[in-house]
Short mmCIF file of all heavy atoms in Angstrom, two decimals:
data_model
loop_
_atom_site.label_atom_id
_atom_site.label_comp_id
_atom_site.label_asym_id
_atom_site.label_seq_id
_atom_site.Cartn_x
_atom_site.Cartn_y
_atom_site.Cartn_z
N LEU A 43 82.76 91.97 115.72
CA LEU A 43 82.96 90.54 115.88
C LEU A 43 84.40 90.18 115.54
O LEU A 43 85.09 90.91 114.83
CB LEU A 43 81.98 89.75 115.00
CG LEU A 43 81.85 90.15 113.53
CD1 LEU A 43 82.78 89.31 112.68
CD2 LEU A 43 80.43 89.98 113.05
N VAL A 44 84.84 89.05 116.09
CA VAL A 44 86.14 88.49 115.76
C VAL A 44 85.93 87.39 114.74
O VAL A 44 85.16 86.45 114.96
CB VAL A 44 86.85 87.94 117.01
CG1 VAL A 44 88.13 87.21 116.63
CG2 VAL A 44 87.15 89.07 117.99
N ILE A 45 86.61 87.49 113.60
CA ILE A 45 86.49 86.51 112.53
C ILE A 45 87.54 85.42 112.66
O ILE A 45 87.24 84.24 112.50
CB ILE A 45 86.58 87.23 111.17
CG1 ILE A 45 85.37 88.15 111.00
CG2 ILE A 45 86.69 86.23 110.02
CD1 ILE A 45 85.43 89.05 109.78
N TYR A 46 88.77 85.80 112.95
CA TYR A 46 89.84 84.82 113.16
C TYR A 46 90.87 85.41 114.10
O TYR A 46 91.34 86.53 113.90
CB TYR A 46 90.51 84.44 111.84
CG TYR A 46 91.72 83.54 112.05
CD1 TYR A 46 91.57 82.18 112.25
CD2 TYR A 46 93.00 84.08 112.11
CE1 TYR A 46 92.67 81.36 112.49
CE2 TYR A 46 94.11 83.27 112.34
CZ TYR A 46 93.93 81.92 112.53
OH TYR A 46 95.02 81.12 112.78
N GLU A 47 91.25 84.63 115.12
CA GLU A 47 92.32 85.04 116.03
C GLU A 47 93.00 83.80 116.58
O GLU A 47 92.34 82.86 117.02
CB GLU A 47 91.78 85.89 117.18
CG GLU A 47 92.87 86.36 118.14
CD GLU A 47 92.34 87.30 119.21
OE1 GLU A 47 91.11 87.46 119.31
OE2 GLU A 47 93.18 87.87 119.95
N ASP A 48 94.32 83.80 116.53
CA ASP A 48 95.14 82.76 117.13
C ASP A 48 96.44 83.42 117.56
O ASP A 48 97.16 83.97 116.71
CB ASP A 48 95.42 81.64 116.11
CG ASP A 48 96.15 80.45 116.73
OD1 ASP A 48 96.96 80.65 117.65
OD2 ASP A 48 95.93 79.31 116.27
N PRO A 49 96.76 83.43 118.85
CA PRO A 49 97.95 84.16 119.31
C PRO A 49 99.27 83.64 118.74
O PRO A 49 100.28 84.33 118.82
CB PRO A 49 97.91 84.00 120.83
CG PRO A 49 97.01 82.84 121.08
CD PRO A 49 96.02 82.83 119.97
N LYS A 50 99.25 82.46 118.13
CA LYS A 50 100.48 81.95 117.51
C LYS A 50 100.72 82.57 116.13
O LYS A 50 101.80 82.42 115.57
CB LYS A 50 100.40 80.43 117.36
CG LYS A 50 100.32 79.66 118.66
CD LYS A 50 100.51 78.16 118.44
CE LYS A 50 99.50 77.57 117.47
NZ LYS A 50 98.11 77.65 117.99
N PHE A 51 99.70 83.26 115.59
CA PHE A 51 99.81 83.77 114.22
C PHE A 51 99.53 85.27 114.15
O PHE A 51 98.76 85.82 114.94
CB PHE A 51 98.83 83.03 113.30
CG PHE A 51 99.18 81.59 113.10
CD1 PHE A 51 98.53 80.60 113.81
CD2 PHE A 51 100.17 81.22 112.20
CE1 PHE A 51 98.84 79.25 113.65
CE2 PHE A 51 100.49 79.89 112.01
CZ PHE A 51 99.84 78.91 112.74
N TYR A 52 100.17 85.87 113.17
CA TYR A 52 99.94 87.27 112.81
C TYR A 52 99.00 87.25 111.61
O TYR A 52 99.38 86.84 110.51
CB TYR A 52 101.27 87.92 112.45
CG TYR A 52 101.24 89.39 112.15
CD1 TYR A 52 101.83 90.31 113.02
CD2 TYR A 52 100.67 89.88 110.98
CE1 TYR A 52 101.84 91.67 112.73
CE2 TYR A 52 100.66 91.23 110.69
CZ TYR A 52 101.25 92.12 111.57
OH TYR A 52 101.26 93.46 111.29
N ALA A 53 97.75 87.67 111.82
CA ALA A 53 96.73 87.66 110.77
C ALA A 53 96.42 89.09 110.36
O ALA A 53 96.13 89.94 111.22
CB ALA A 53 95.48 86.95 111.25
N ALA A 54 96.46 89.37 109.05
CA ALA A 54 96.33 90.76 108.62
C ALA A 54 95.88 90.84 107.16
O ALA A 54 95.82 89.84 106.45
CB ALA A 54 97.67 91.49 108.79
N PHE A 55 95.55 92.07 106.74
CA PHE A 55 95.33 92.46 105.34
C PHE A 55 94.22 91.64 104.67
O PHE A 55 94.44 90.98 103.65
CB PHE A 55 96.64 92.35 104.55
CG PHE A 55 97.82 92.95 105.25
CD1 PHE A 55 98.96 92.21 105.50
CD2 PHE A 55 97.79 94.27 105.69
CE1 PHE A 55 100.05 92.77 106.17
CE2 PHE A 55 98.87 94.84 106.36
CZ PHE A 55 100.00 94.08 106.59
N PRO A 56 92.98 91.70 105.21
CA PRO A 56 91.92 90.86 104.66
C PRO A 56 91.20 91.47 103.46
O PRO A 56 91.30 92.67 103.17
CB PRO A 56 90.96 90.75 105.85
CG PRO A 56 91.08 92.08 106.52
CD PRO A 56 92.55 92.46 106.39
N SER A 57 90.43 90.62 102.79
CA SER A 57 89.42 91.04 101.82
C SER A 57 88.25 90.09 101.97
O SER A 57 88.38 89.00 102.55
CB SER A 57 89.96 91.03 100.39
OG SER A 57 90.35 89.72 99.99
#
Side-chain angles (χ1 to χ4, degrees):
L43 50 93
V44 174
I45 294 172
Y46 173 82
E47 181 175 9
D48 186 327
K50 296 191 303 296
F51 293 99
Y52 184 111
F55 314 124
S57 63

